Structure formats: C-alpha cells, structure tokens
Amino acid sequence: MLSRLIFIFVAVPLLELVILLRIGQWIGLMPTVALVVTTGVAGAALARQQGIRAFLAVQRELASGRLPGRSLLDGLAILVGGAFLLTPGVLTDLLGFGLLIPVSRRWLQRLARRRLERRMRDGTIEFRVYGADGSSTTRRAEVHTRDSGPEDRR
C-alpha cells in the first residue's frame, strides 16, 4: 500500500513534470502553458456537461423507483475525471478525458469491475464490518455474478 502511495504522489508527478518539460522543449514555453490551460478549461466544461447529464440520470432513475447504480458510478467517474483534468499534466489529462467520454468511461468501468471481481475471487480483498457496539469483524468478499442485462451494454 505504501509503495502505491509513493508511486501516486511522487513518481506520477515527476513523470508528468518530465513530459511537460519535454513538450516545452519541443513546442516552447507559451504553447505548453496554453496546452495545460486549454485542457483544464475544456475538461471543466466537459465535466460540467457530463456531470449534469449524470445528475439528471440519477434523478430519472430515482423517480422511476430504481436504484441509480450505473448513474452513480458515472457521476463518480466524472468527478474523478474532472479532478484529473484540473491537475496539470499530460497523463492525468488523458486519464481525465477517458473518464469523461462515455465510451471510454464504460470501458474503464468494465475493466475496474473485472479486476475487482477477480481480486474478490482470489480472496485478496477483505472488508471490515463494524457492529453497533463498536466491535468489528473482517470478512472476505464474495462474488455474486448476475446476467448482463441491457444496463450493462449501455
């Protein structure tokens, strides 16, 4: 876990800095700054548009008496994608746009779901459950697969 945190908070920003410096050497300082600002502004606009769409989908599903599972996942992906786009860097921008564009967002969600299900089957994911009295127990996750319906193919 510590190695992943070090990777996220040290290695990724250093790699982003190296990439931005290389781009700056290749196209110049001002075009590089303009690129960073443009992706931030475009990302914010796209995140706003997709966020409103996800919010309305949650409202529609709740109004029809359904749980908004997919819409909530979309909203979370859009929030994370928007945060990535506000972070200066090329790699974070690519991942951020990937989370904002519906087709790639679905692909990334399926990829994350498969990985989570595989780790649950392997028993490498455990959950800590807390009782009302403050006691806790650790449980291994169980995989409950379901037939993929039309919601999974959207």
Side-chain angles (χ1 to χ4, degrees):
M1 183 66 176
L2 181 61
S3 61
R4 287 184 185 174
L5 289 175
I6 289 171
F7 177 75
I8 290 170
F9 291 110
V10 176
V12 170
L14 283 175
L15 183 60
E16 292 281 19
L17 182 60
V18 168
I19 292 171
L20 285 173
L21 288 172
R22 294 286 182 178
I23 291 173
Q25 290 173 342
W26 185 47
I27 64 174
L29 174 66
M30 292 314 290
T32 304
V33 171
L35 177 70
V36 169
V37 170
T38 301
T39 57
V41 170
L46 186 58
R48 181 179 184 274
Q49 179 226 8
Q50 290 294 312
I52 291 170
R53 182 178 284 173
F55 178 73
L56 293 174
V58 167
Q59 284 186 324
R60 274 192 309 275
E61 289 180 20
L62 287 172
S64 68
R66 292 179 295 171
L67 289 175
R70 170 65 58 90
S71 300
L72 287 176
L73 283 177
D74 283 344
L76 177 63
I78 291 164
L79 179 67
V80 171
F84 278 141
L85 284 167
L86 293 176
T87 304
V90 175
L91 299 176
T92 52
D93 285 350
L94 290 173
L95 185 56
F97 278 118
L99 288 169
L100 292 181
I101 297 169
V103 173
S104 57
R105 180 171 61 234
R106 295 282 179 258
W107 180 80
L108 289 168
Q109 286 171 341
R110 280 192 303 273
L111 186 72
R113 180 180 176 165
R114 283 188 205 121
R115 182 175 178 188
L116 179 62
E117 286 176 349
R118 184 179 67 246
R119 291 185 66 196
M120 289 170 68
R121 270 192 304 276
D122 295 346
T124 56
I125 293 181
E126 294 181 343
F127 295 96
R128 183 161 294 247
V129 180
Y130 293 93
D133 61 353
S135 64
S136 67
T137 58
T138 301
R139 296 185 182 164
R140 289 194 178 240
E142 296 178 13
V143 179
H144 298 285
T145 59
R146 60 184 170 93
D147 296 331
S148 56
E151 175 124 348
D152 288 336
R153 291 190 284 268
R154 273 199 292 173

